[in-house]
């Protein structure tokens, strides 16, 4: 080797040996190594450079106006993809804003990771009053599936790996990852740093059900005279669509989808018992729960909703401790939904009898009767328009675009839209979920639009919209194909309440009358529509979808339309007491 060549090689080797990296780069490298390509967040001390670097390194950074909505976007992205959605926030207040979304994700079994910068341990632990001081790790613990802190740059790879695995394995949920400011600027030898990264292998391993549990379930199913399948959002999350459809169709058992499981099979499927919901819940003798919990949304599996007919439950779930949480479960089948449903399907052999004509006939009769009644209500054209006539217009447009994501929140707006808007494809409906939370609207819309690249129609009550309305700017900034429809009836529930004292303040449920929400989006360059009839609403929605531009339709409805708390009057102490 020539002398000059030799010295160049030595220089390179020396340079490599002394090359360093830092915590900022390692966090990004660890996420990228695990195929995470998007961060939802809001910059500030100490994570602004982390966001800049993420973008410089080819990741998408979607910046929000409030951390809660960034967190909701991350959570819904996790639900859609089975990869943890990432939300990045600043310390204390930013972290706390994100925490609501983390808690909501955990409650709904959505995988997400909230990554927050934090103040230095030495100061926090001695409570010496740092800028945005807070013991974030302990604050996060009760609301997260898991919470971790990384103190040394060489542990970033392990920290991120643990966070990913905790978020998606078993029952998915929210994970908190605490990154103190000092960690991000720590330097580390580049080679060692590279070696410290972890590519997570099989993050959410399949969990096969025990054969005897499947046998027990099949026996219970075979003994049923009036069986019913209940599909929850766990079933939608599992992405076992063909297996689930196969099980439903092969067994011939009528099914009910919970709200976010709508579309797992098209709502128009002949085995759907949605239009006879009350009847089937009361009359069924064996109920197969697939990725659905017997929580308040199912009246805890007891009481009037479930009628006098004694029931036996088969429950398919990945979490063994979910079983018997509200009522006794005759046949638990524990494992991942794909494997469990495949095993149940295999058990549907020649000796299995599909449900009899009596049961199916009774359901069909109720269904037809209720559908006819609903059609009559939907066909009315009152002026001003009401929830039903407005939703009819939206339903008819969405029928032609089954690929569109639908976000839905509110009280009456949620209740009515859930039953009127049919879904045709899995994981296209995102709503207030297990908590019945308000404020997911724009966060979920942005998360769904960014993750799927498909249009979103957000059907929002005017009150619900208010929680995240400022994110219209985010939607416009990223030019997302989101059309928000605000059901404007001048108030929470409705706009007609009065202050009984005759004082100057309006009633607690009342908003500014005749508000022009459409003008809000115009301020950011989006397209606003003001509509007062179903025809105008149809036209606006068609145009908005066709253009793919950020848009908002102010749908003015009768301010007297809407009932207190939607269909949850029984949970409202005042109206429940008044009813007694
Ligand atoms: P819904 O509100 O639609 O009834 P829930 O959120 O109450 O649905 O229930 C979802 C259930 O699905 C949870 O109990 C969760 O443990 C379970 N689950 C989530 N993912 C899977 C999976 N891949 N396999 C099996 N069960 C799952």
């Amino acid at each position: 080797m020539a002398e000059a060549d030799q010295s160049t090689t030595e220089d390179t080797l020396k340079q490599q040996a002394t090359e360093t990296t830092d915590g900022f780069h390692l966090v990004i490298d660890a996420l990228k190594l695990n195929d995470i390509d998007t961060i939802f967040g809001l910059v500030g001390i100490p994570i602004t450079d982390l966001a800049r670097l993420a973008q410089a390194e080819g990741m998408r950074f979607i910046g929000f106006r409030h951390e809660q909505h960034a967190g909701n976007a991350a959570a819904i992205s996790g639900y859609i993809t089975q990869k943890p959605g990432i939300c990045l926030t600043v310390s204390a207040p930013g972290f706390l804003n994100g925490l609501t979304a983390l808690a909501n994700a955990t409650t709904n079994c959505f995988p997400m990771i909230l990554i927050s910068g934090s103040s230095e341990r030495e100061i926090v632990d001695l409570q010496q009053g740092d800028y945005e001081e807070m013991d974030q790790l302990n604050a996060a613990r009760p609301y997260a599936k898991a919470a971790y802190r990384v103190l040394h740059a060489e542990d970033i790879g392990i920290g991120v790996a643990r966070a990913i695995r905790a978020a998606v394995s078993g029952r998915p949920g929210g994970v908190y990852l605490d990154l103190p400011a000092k960690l991000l600027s720590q330097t580390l030898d580049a080679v060692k740093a590279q070696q410290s990264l972890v590519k997570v292998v099989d993050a959410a391993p399949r969990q096969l059900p025990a054969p005897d549990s499947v046998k027990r379930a099949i026996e219970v199913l075979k003994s049923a005279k009036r069986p019913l399948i209940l599909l929850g959002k766990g079933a939608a999350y599992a992405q076992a669509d063909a297996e689930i459809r196969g099980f439903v169709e092969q067994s011939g058992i009528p099914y009910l989808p919970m709200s976010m499981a709508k579309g797992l099979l098209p709502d128009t499927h002949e085995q759907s018992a949605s239009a006879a919901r009350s009847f089937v819940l009361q009359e069924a003798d064996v109920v197969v729960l697939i990725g659905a919990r017997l929580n308040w949304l199912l009246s805890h599996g007891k009481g009037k909703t479930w009628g006098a007919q004694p029931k036996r439950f088969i429950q398919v779930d990945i979490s063994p401790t979910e079983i018997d949480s509200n009522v006794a479960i005759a046949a638990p089948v524990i494992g991942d939904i794909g494997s469990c449903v495949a095993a149940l399907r295999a058990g549907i052999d020649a000796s299995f009898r599909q449900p009899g004509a009596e049961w199916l006939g009774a359901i069909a009769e109720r269904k037809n009767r209720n559908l006819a009644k609903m059609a009559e209500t939907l066909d009315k054209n009152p002026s001003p328009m009401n929830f039903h006539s407005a939703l009819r217009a939206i339903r008819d447009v969405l029928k032609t675009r089954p690929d569109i994501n639908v976000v839905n929140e509110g009280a009456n707006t949620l209740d009515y839209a859930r039953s009127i808007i049919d879904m045709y494809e899995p994981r296209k409906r995102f709503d207030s979920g297990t908590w019945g939370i308000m404020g997911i609207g724009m966060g979920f819309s942005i998360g769904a639009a960014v993750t799927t690249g498909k249009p979103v129609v957000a059907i929002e009550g005017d009150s619900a919209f208010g929680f995240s309305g400022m994110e219209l700017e985010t939607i416009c900034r990223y030019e997302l194909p989101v059309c928000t429809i605000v059901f404007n009836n001048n108030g929470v529930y409705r706009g007609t309440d009065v202050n009984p004292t005759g004082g100057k303040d309006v009633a607690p449920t009342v908003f500014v009358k005749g508000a022009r929400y459409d003008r809000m989006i115009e301020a950011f360059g989006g397209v606003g529509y003001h509509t007062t009839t179903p025809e105008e609403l149809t036209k606006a929605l068609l145009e908005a979808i066709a253009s793919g531009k950020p848009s908002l339709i102010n749908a003015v409805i009768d301010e007297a339309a809407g009932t207190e708390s939607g269909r949850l009057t029984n949970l409202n102490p005042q109206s429940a007491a008044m009813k007694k």
Side-chain angles (χ1 to χ4, degrees), residues 82 107-109 170-172 231-235 237-238 258-261 290-295 297-298 315-319 322 335-338 433-434:
Q82 295 185 328
T107 307
N108 281 284
C109 316
R171 171 183 280 179
L231 301 172
K233 60 179 163 318
Y237 173 79
M258 298 299 288
S259 68
M260 282 179 58
I290 304 181
R293 287 171 285 184
L294 285 174
N295 54 21
L297 286 161
L298 283 168
Q315 185 161 23
V316 177
D317 205 290
I318 203 150
S319 169
E322 183 55 39
D336 73 87
I337 282 170
T434 306

Side-chain angles (χ1 to χ4, degrees), residues 44-296:
I45 296 171
I47 51 92
T48 309
D49 279 343
L50 194 59
R52 285 200 185 106
L53 187 68
Q55 190 172 57
E57 298 278 322
M59 292 183 84
R60 266 199 106 176
F61 182 85
I62 307 292
F64 285 70
R65 306 301 295 262
H66 188 289
E67 292 86 349
Q68 188 174 325
H69 313 308
N72 285 329
I76 212 62
S77 169
Y79 171 73
I80 295 169
T81 61
Q82 295 185 328
K83 276 197 292 189
I86 307 292
C87 174
L88 182 64
T89 81
V90 300
S91 27
F95 154 79
L96 279 178
N97 286 344
L99 195 55
T100 306
L102 188 73
N104 188 55
T106 305
T107 307
N108 281 284
C109 316
F110 299 156
M112 79 171 271
I113 304 174
L114 175 67
I115 302 180
S116 296
S118 62
S119 306
E120 304 317 336
R121 299 293 333 140
E122 300 83 337
I123 302 177
V124 173
D125 290 347
L126 277 172
Q127 298 184 9
Q128 292 175 313
D130 203 357
Y131 164 76
E132 296 189 346
E133 174 185 305
M134 176 176 245
D135 186 358
Q136 295 169 200
L137 186 68
N138 279 316
R141 266 193 222 288
Y143 308 107
K145 186 179 167 195
Y148 306 107
R149 176 188 294 130
V150 183
L151 289 176
H152 304 291
E154 61 263 35
D155 292 332
I156 286 173
I158 289 291
V160 169
R162 280 181 75 67
I164 291 172
R165 206 173 271 286
V168 298
S169 63
R171 171 183 280 179
V175 176
Y176 176 59
L177 188 61
D178 192 80
L179 304 182
K182 234 173 16 189
L183 169 85
L184 296 171
S185 52
Q186 275 177 28
T187 53
L188 193 68
D189 171 78
V191 177
K192 266 204 208 141
Q194 209 53 40
Q195 287 164 351
S196 73
L197 295 178
V198 178
K199 168 107 179 145
V200 177
V201 177
D202 197 10
R206 287 172 63 206
Q207 296 189 25
L208 306 184
D212 55 332
S213 73
V214 176
K215 196 161 158 254
R216 191 187 298 121
I218 293 290
E219 274 161 22
V220 173
L221 199 57
K222 281 183 178 169
S223 73
K225 295 225 159 27
R226 292 182 300 281
L228 173 69
I229 295 171
L230 245 162
L231 301 172
K233 60 179 163 318
Y237 173 79
Q239 297 192 16
D241 309 339
E243 210 60 79
I244 289 169
R245 187 173 183 144
F247 174 62
V248 170
E249 291 180 344
Q250 224 172 300
S251 68
I253 299 173
Y255 75 94
L256 275 184
M258 298 299 288
S259 68
M260 282 179 58
K262 277 164 69 75
L264 193 42
L265 285 87
D267 278 335
T268 45
H269 195 285
E270 63 163 355
Q271 283 172 258
S272 168
S274 288
R277 189 173 196 275
S278 313
F279 177 73
V280 290
L281 288 179
Q282 285 173 0
E283 297 300 321
D285 60 354
V286 168
V287 179
V288 190
L289 297 159
I290 304 181
R293 287 171 285 184
L294 285 174
N295 54 21
W296 70 281

